[in-house]
Amino acid sequence: QVRLRESGGGLVQPGGSLRLSCVVSGRPDSDFAMGWFRATPGKEREFVAAITWNGGSTKYADSVKGRFTISCDASKDTVYLQMNMLRPEDTAAYYCNGVVLNFLAANPDIGITNRNWGQGTQVTVSS
């Protein structure tokens, strides 16, 4: 059974930075890519970024392009999200999950591979 454990969230001022981590336990060899998502009360969980486990391809939501960087260490089954130039609208609970998508498409449909999400990590951007 796959377990997802996110960490690294916190309270940061606008313009600040945070680095999130996601450790994946029980990752099947068939898993091709991982993604970060975020959720706020009353809104659907939205896609933030994705990366293939070999690090060869990445995809970002338009709202975070140029500010967030996704990376991974397959030997540690860990995915990271470096968030810079944070804005109040980035405030959300952040989650990771296995993803399936066409990295070459401009606006690909994004599927998740694990029905059960982790507990997430809260990011609050406020002065």
Side-chain angles (χ1 to χ4, degrees), residues 4-5 7 11 14 30 34 41 45-46 51 70 105 114 117 127:
L4 306 165
R5 188 168 72 250
S7 63
L11 173 64
S30 58
M34 287 292 295
R45 202 180 324 243
E46 66 172 352
I51 187 169
I70 189 170
N114 302 301
W117 295 82
S127 54

Side-chain angles (χ1 to χ4, degrees), residues 26-118:
R27 177 170 74 92
D29 292 338
S30 58
D31 258 12
F32 174 68
M34 287 292 295
W36 282 97
F37 300 80
R38 63 188 181 186
T40 55
K43 291 181 65 176
E44 284 190 14
R45 202 180 324 243
E46 66 172 352
F47 168 76
V48 175
I51 187 169
T52 51
W53 273 112
N54 65 7
S57 296
T58 57
K59 180 71 74 174
Y60 295 92
D62 288 343
S63 59
V64 306
K65 278 180 184 176
R67 300 188 299 121
F68 291 11
T69 302
I70 189 170
S71 61
C72 65
D73 185 339
S75 68
K76 297 181 180 179
D77 289 333
T78 302
V79 183
Y80 306 97
L81 186 68
Q82 177 66 43
M83 306 186 297
N84 298 328
M85 295 182 285
L86 282 161
R87 304 167 180 169
E89 54 263 39
D90 295 317
T91 295
Y94 284 72
Y95 302 85
C96 61
N97 207 326
V99 294
V100 178
L101 72 152
N102 181 353
F103 281 84
L104 299 179
N107 293 292
D109 292 331
I110 299 171
I112 60 169
T113 61
N114 302 301
R115 183 183 309 170
N116 297 317
W117 295 82

